Amino acid sequence: GQSLEQPSEVTAVEGAIVQINCTYQTSGFYGLSWYQQHDGGAPTFLSYNALDGLEETGRFSSFLSRSDSYGYLLLQELQMKDSASYFCAVSGDYGQNFVFGPGTRLSVLP
Amino acid sequence: DSGVTQTPKHLITATGQRVTLRCSPRSGDLSVYWYQQSLDQGLQFLIQYYNGEERAKGNILERFSAQQFPDLHSELNLSSLELGDSALYFCASSPRDRGGAGSYEQYFGPGTRLTVT
């Protein structure tokens, strides 16, 4: 089976940097994704890591360590609009589940 | 706008009934995924189709079934509905069938909110 852990809540102020961690256990692994979801909205894709290392997309970066079964999402220069829930998700071997973590609710304060 | 459409947006029905949710993927995407999101269960993967074939199955109940048609749209059928089936149901699409090297993005539709009374 597959399971993911991430913090339930994170609070930070505008302009700050925040890191949301994700650890996973899976019997097969193809990659780790990150999605953002605002209240009442649909999840939107942020990043995907299949290989170890850091992927940067604007203010957002994502890191993966396959040997540690660990990844994180780094959000820089936080803005109020970044207040949302952030989900990590593992895509497993062919034919297996696509599993989302429980989500981290980020609150950005002025 | 992700390019994925779902109908209806809202659905209210009674216990024991059957409903069909419809999803049209982004143009060119061959994969369709169905998810259930409720407050206590988070975002749960139900099932994936790729070019008409079932690719992966998650925690989908036997009362639920899905299919993907030759034009790539998909339908999720929920039968013998229970109060606990009340949730937001998302459809997502992707050009790929699974992860691996390269980008792997899923594009989510706006969802169908199902209320079972």
Side-chain angles (χ1 to χ4, degrees):
Chain A
Q2 292 155 295
S3 66
L4 295 91
E5 290 187 8
Q6 48 181 133
S8 58
E9 292 183 17
V10 173
T11 302
V13 296
E14 268 188 301
I17 299 173
V18 71
Q19 178 174 312
I20 300 174
N21 298 320
C22 174
T23 57
Y24 59 87
Q25 286 187 316
T26 178
S27 55
F29 179 84
Y30 269 61
L32 184 71
S33 303
W34 289 92
Y35 286 81
Q36 178 193 60
Q37 186 178 28
H38 286 97
D39 287 345
T44 56
F45 174 81
L46 292 177
S47 68
Y48 173 76
N49 296 69
L51 304 175
D52 287 354
L54 191 69
E55 294 278 347
E56 297 181 74
T57 309
R59 295 187 297 113
F60 295 176
S61 303
S62 59
F63 172 83
L64 175 66
S65 169
R66 295 173 67 115
S67 60
D68 295 324
S69 298
Y70 163 77
Y72 66 73
L73 179 70
L74 191 72
L75 299 86
Q76 303 182 68
E77 301 173 16
L78 282 174
Q79 302 174 9
M80 297 293 290
K81 67 179 182 180
D82 297 329
S83 292
S85 291
Y86 292 83
F87 296 88
C88 59
V90 166
S91 57
D93 280 344
Y94 176 83
Q96 293 189 7
N97 295 354
F98 187 81
V99 180
F100 275 78
T104 299
R105 188 167 188 88
L106 171 64
S107 298
V108 180
L109 305 177
Chain B
D1 184 356
S2 67
V4 178
T5 60
Q6 290 186 248
T7 56
K9 286 187 178 179
H10 302 277
L11 198 50
I12 301 175
T13 189
T15 54
Q17 296 298 304
R18 172 189 171 93
V19 298
T20 298
L21 312 184
R22 182 188 170 100
C23 168
S24 292
R26 290 189 329 151
S27 177
D29 284 356
L30 298 180
S31 268
V32 169
Y33 309 78
W34 285 98
Y35 295 90
Q36 178 192 58
Q37 186 172 38
S38 56
L39 285 176
D40 58 345
Q41 292 291 325
L43 201 60
Q44 298 287 320
F45 167 75
L46 296 178
I47 197 164
Q48 177 202 358
Y49 281 84
Y50 179 79
N51 203 19
E53 293 187 2
E54 183 182 301
R55 259 313 194 252
K57 218 166 187 177
N59 300 319
I60 187 167
L61 300 172
E62 286 190 10
R63 301 183 286 108
F64 296 1
S65 65
Q67 55 183 327
Q68 186 179 29
F69 295 87
D71 67 352
L72 301 178
H73 91 272
S74 178
E75 292 181 356
L76 179 67
N77 300 296
L78 315 176
S79 62
S80 302
L81 284 168
E82 302 175 359
L83 294 177
D85 298 328
S86 296
L88 196 51
Y89 291 84
F90 287 107
C91 163
S93 75
S94 170
R96 299 178 59 165
D97 65 343
R98 66 183 188 275
S103 186
Y104 179 42
E105 305 175 34
Q106 291 188 18
Y107 300 88
F108 281 74
T112 293
R113 182 167 295 282
L114 174 66
T115 302
V116 182
T117 61

